[in-house]
Amino acid sequence: MPVVDISSGAEDFAADPYSFYAALRAAGPVHRVGGGPSDDAPCWIVVGYEEVRQALNHPSLLKDWRHSGTFPGLEPTAANSNMLESDPPRHTRLRRLVAREFTSRRVQEMRPLVERTTAGLLDAMAARPERAADLVGALAFPLPMTVICELLGVPDLDRERFRHWSNAVVTPVPGVVGNEAHLHLSGYLAELVARKADHPGDDLLSALIRTRDEDGDSLSPDELIGMAFLLLVAGHETTVNLISNGVRALLAHPAQLAELRADPGKLLDGAVEEMLRYDGPVQNSTYRYAATDVELGGVVIPAGAVVLASLAGADRDPGRFPDPDVFDIHRAPQGHLAFGHGLHFCIGAPLARMEGRIAVRALLERFPDLAEDPAGGPPQWLPGSLMRGVSSLPVRW
């Protein structure tokens, strides 16, 4: 089986990874690839829908890289003490404690803030005399950043500095893990947790500091830092790309855009789900590590291997989605994997969906002639194979 390199950052792959995944999928659901996190560990990618679902919930595909031997010499930070980088029983315990406070009620209580923040950002866009803007910088980034900072009670976060750290974590330069960014974020969040412990508020982070389960268990200081790290980074990066990818798909399909404008009450929820399936914010899952030999799709992945579950590949699988490369806001919900599956299903999915629905509807109502700005040049795609999106989206009205 030939080894395919997915780390080269080639422009054709960045612009259209879906053709790449389709070609792999046509030859089979599981493949050996190059460009993994370490030269010492073989890397495999899973691109078939059913096989990706199995991989995302397989008990022998672990998430805690600290026990994998894959990153020799890399020191873990407090930021690594989070659910995404944990396995049962630790993951079970962390998720239970967080779920006690990160409830659907708390998410719904954020709705007025989301609506108010969206309106303010659109006011600022409308006031531009040039009637043009970068939608990422004007709406898609500041909205979820404001919301997640309010949720965690982070009033004084340097947004530009944080954006730099966050980008270094989720879209690292090939061969660089982004550990420096982890260190900076860990230091900042350690100070934040200490301040919240001394001066608690009504925010989620203060609630997580206070929470105890029936046995008196609570989150340790490092676990609080890890949870704040995960919620800050994952809580805004995915929503940035949900909004920008979704709007880009709508602008590229004017007939469906017109339908959505005409009847958002009926079509909006389905449109957001199709945005997530068609061009979701996370292209591939974070790494998993095979604790034993694992068979997926008739292929044996050897113990010690690194595994990527391709959400983008799965959500364009014709075996699950008829005409998968067609963007169709009328498509019946069929269980896309944009937010993952199983133990590590995104705990913030309800908040991301709410932000996406409010932002898209308000944007289209405010700017009925919104269009991509042809003067903006070709898309600048995010590097790497983790996130799927553009660094800017020039629009005009």
Side-chain angles (χ1 to χ4, degrees):
M1 179 182 294
V3 176
V4 183
D5 187 1
I6 63 169
S7 69
S8 61
E11 290 185 13
D12 54 349
F13 173 78
D16 180 19
Y18 299 104
S19 295
F20 173 87
Y21 297 131
L24 282 181
R25 200 170 47 244
V30 181
H31 297 269
R32 171 82 184 274
V33 293
S38 168
D39 293 335
D40 300 325
C43 185
W44 297 73
I45 191 168
V46 186
V47 292
Y49 179 89
E50 290 300 334
E51 292 77 14
V52 167
R53 276 177 56 95
Q54 294 172 35
L56 291 173
N57 209 28
H58 200 291
S60 292
L61 294 179
L62 307 182
K63 293 292 295 178
D64 193 338
W65 62 268
R66 289 163 291 191
H67 302 149
S68 70
T70 304
F71 298 103
L74 182 63
E75 291 296 323
T77 69
N80 300 121
S81 296
N82 62 64
M83 293 185 297
L84 187 59
E85 298 177 78
S86 301
D87 302 300
R90 185 165 183 265
H91 171 272
T92 309
R93 170 181 162 268
L94 291 175
R95 185 144 184 150
R96 182 180 67 246
L97 286 167
V98 173
R100 291 175 68 91
E101 300 297 339
F102 195 14
T103 60
S104 57
R105 178 180 176 181
R106 187 180 288 274
V107 169
Q108 285 305 312
E109 289 173 349
M110 302 294 291
R111 178 176 288 275
L113 172 69
V114 176
E115 293 172 340
R116 186 169 63 249
T117 303
T118 300
L121 293 169
L122 296 182
D123 286 345
M125 282 179 60
R128 292 172 178 256
E130 67 272 29
R131 298 184 182 181
D134 165 25
L135 193 68
V136 174
L139 177 66
F141 171 75
L143 172 61
M145 176 56 65
T146 300
V147 171
I148 205 69
C149 285
E150 179 74 17
L151 180 68
L152 290 177
V154 188
D156 57 350
L157 180 63
D158 182 330
R159 304 293 171 85
E160 285 306 310
R161 185 172 55 159
F162 175 77
R163 190 177 190 185
H164 171 74
W165 291 339
S166 181
N167 285 344
V169 171
V170 301
T171 57
V173 176
V176 179
V177 182
N179 202 45
E180 183 178 347
H182 276 81
L183 290 171
H184 283 303
L185 271 172
S186 290
Y188 172 85
L189 293 172
E191 296 176 5
L192 176 65
V193 168
R195 289 203 306 271
K196 290 289 178 185
D198 292 337
H199 304 286
D202 296 328
D203 53 88
L204 176 61
L205 188 53
S206 296
L208 290 175
I209 292 172
R210 294 190 300 265
T211 193
R212 299 284 191 278
D213 70 7
E214 291 78 4
D215 299 326
D217 188 21
S218 63
L219 296 169
S220 71
D222 275 1
E223 289 167 347
L224 286 163
I225 293 167
M227 289 312 307
F229 169 85
L230 180 61
L231 292 169
L232 268 172
V233 174
H236 95 274
E237 285 285 355
T238 51
T239 310
V240 171
N241 295 316
L242 163 58
I243 294 170
S244 57
N245 289 357
V247 171
R248 197 161 44 81
L250 287 171
L251 295 179
H253 297 83
Q256 294 192 60
L257 173 58
E259 286 188 81
L260 180 58
R261 286 189 196 280
D263 196 355
K266 179 181 178 182
L267 297 176
L268 181 63
D269 287 2
V272 169
E273 296 309 304
E274 179 67 349
M275 294 171 191
L276 287 162
R277 182 206 69 84
Y278 178 77
D279 202 12
V282 181
Q283 189 174 161
N284 294 296
S285 70
T286 51
Y287 295 122
R288 281 166 168 75
Y289 310 96
T292 63
D293 288 356
V294 173
E295 182 176 343
L296 292 174
V299 175
V300 176
I301 298 173
V306 176
V307 178
L308 281 174
S310 178
L311 310 181
D315 282 342
R316 296 283 190 104
D317 187 340
R320 177 69 180 188
F321 303 99
D323 299 319
D325 297 322
V326 173
F327 179 71
D328 180 7
I329 63 174
H330 300 280
R331 188 183 296 272
Q334 290 179 293
H336 65 72
L337 301 178
F339 289 120
H341 171 69
L343 290 177
H344 293 281
F345 182 82
C346 177
I347 198 170
L351 180 59
R353 283 184 162 111
M354 182 177 74
E355 290 181 74
R357 291 165 183 165
I358 290 172
V360 170
R361 181 167 188 165
L363 177 70
L364 299 186
E365 289 176 347
R366 189 66 174 272
F367 301 106
D369 57 345
L370 187 77
E372 285 201 59
D373 188 348
Q380 300 299 310
W381 303 98
L382 297 178
S385 60
L386 175 61
M387 306 303 294
R388 169 66 179 165
V390 289
S391 58
S392 64
L393 179 56
V395 294
R396 58 181 174 81
W397 57 89

